Amino acid sequence: LQVKITLTHISLKRLAYTLKSIRGLNSTIAFGSFRQIEDVNISCLVDVEGQNLAPMMVTKCDKLDILGIREQMRRRLKKLKTRNDKDFNHQMGIVARLHSSLVSCVIELSSFIAYCLGRDISSLKIRRFGFGTAILTNCADMEIYNSFAPLVPFTKAICVALLCKPKMKAVVDENGQVVAKKMMNVNVTFDHRYADGYQASLMIKNMYHF
């Protein structure tokens, strides 16, 4: 049985390992204080028919192997792509009915309740810490070879990792020879309140040095 493993699955696992292994990263800030989060949950942004981006949270990435991550993503991805995800459809229906002047207020208030207070919002189908600790997104299909994704304040994510489109480059291999290899930029934007330059260097080391 062949199981397709993608760079997204691998990157999710490495990012989860990084967030778990560096003290203080897997946390959120509430009322000016750090609150440690036990499980490493990471959201992937999914394109829905070119009309919207839907967050798909992969839970307990630090405890799952890559096959477990793939299976959890497969089940949720199918619902999103076929517009059968009830929670997402409910949220989009509420946003569509709101006046534009109220949307930002509802977003900010729901973010405060879900993250600062750590409460579910059943009426909006929003779970506490609903975007997880970090966000991973992929622009490989957009012919983008090097770019950064912005932090989005209401998600409270400590970082956003962007997988760019791979391309062939001349690199020096372990034998000192110049060879052509397919290379990909993976750029991470992080909240400086959680990490300084030293911790950022550890993030890079843990994510990409196996």
Side-chain angles (χ1 to χ4, degrees):
L1 176 65
Q2 291 186 340
V3 178
K4 184 178 180 181
I5 300 296
T6 69
L7 288 172
T8 297
H9 302 133
I10 296 171
S11 296
L12 276 169
K13 183 60 183 177
R14 296 304 299 182
L15 182 55
Y17 168 76
T18 298
L19 294 172
K20 192 69 172 182
S21 62
I22 301 177
R23 181 178 175 83
L25 283 187
N26 195 54
S27 58
T28 187
I29 296 175
F31 304 107
S33 299
F34 285 91
R35 178 186 296 174
Q36 193 73 27
I37 299 175
E38 179 61 28
D39 296 322
V40 180
N41 303 325
I42 302 174
S43 285
C44 282
L45 298 184
V46 178
D47 174 66
V48 180
E49 298 181 351
Q51 298 178 3
N52 213 332
L53 282 177
M56 177 179 62
M57 189 165 74
V58 184
T59 59
K60 299 183 179 181
C61 286
D62 55 318
K63 296 180 175 65
L64 295 174
D65 58 16
I66 292 179
L67 288 178
I69 290 174
R70 174 195 174 275
E71 180 59 23
Q72 190 178 139
M73 288 184 68
R74 185 190 64 80
R75 293 195 302 266
R76 181 81 194 281
L77 186 62
K78 183 178 180 180
K79 290 183 179 180
L80 286 169
K81 290 291 188 180
T82 57
R83 294 181 176 272
N84 288 318
D85 189 286
K86 294 181 180 178
D87 289 353
F88 181 70
N89 293 342
H90 179 76
Q91 292 164 4
M92 291 301 98
I94 290 176
V95 171
R97 292 193 297 271
L98 285 175
H99 190 276
S100 58
S101 62
L102 295 176
V103 172
S104 61
C105 295
V106 171
I107 289 175
E108 291 298 327
L109 179 60
S110 61
S111 176
F112 174 78
I113 295 172
Y115 276 86
C116 293
L117 301 182
R119 304 284 185 178
D120 293 336
I121 308 174
S122 57
S123 60
L124 298 178
K125 305 297 183 183
I126 294 176
R127 299 177 182 177
R128 66 184 191 133
F129 310 126
F131 278 86
T133 308
I135 296 174
L136 179 73
T137 187
N138 191 330
C139 66
D141 293 335
M142 303 177 190
E143 303 294 324
I144 297 175
Y145 296 97
N146 192 26
S147 185
F148 286 86
L151 289 170
V152 182
F154 75 83
T155 68
K156 306 298 184 187
I158 74 165
C159 66
V160 181
L162 177 64
L163 307 183
C164 300
K165 185 177 179 63
K167 66 177 178 179
M168 299 302 295
K169 288 186 177 181
V171 298
V172 179
D173 66 12
E174 59 274 8
N175 299 316
Q177 302 296 315
V178 178
V179 297
K181 286 188 176 182
K182 183 173 286 189
M183 307 293 289
M184 180 181 70
N185 288 322
V186 181
N187 297 331
V188 180
T189 307
F190 69 91
D191 189 330
H192 214 314
R193 294 175 299 171
Y194 294 90
D196 56 20
Y198 172 71
Q199 290 169 310
S201 68
L202 290 179
M203 289 175 66
I204 295 172
K205 180 180 179 180
N206 288 350
M207 283 185 68
Y208 308 120
H209 293 77
F210 291 82

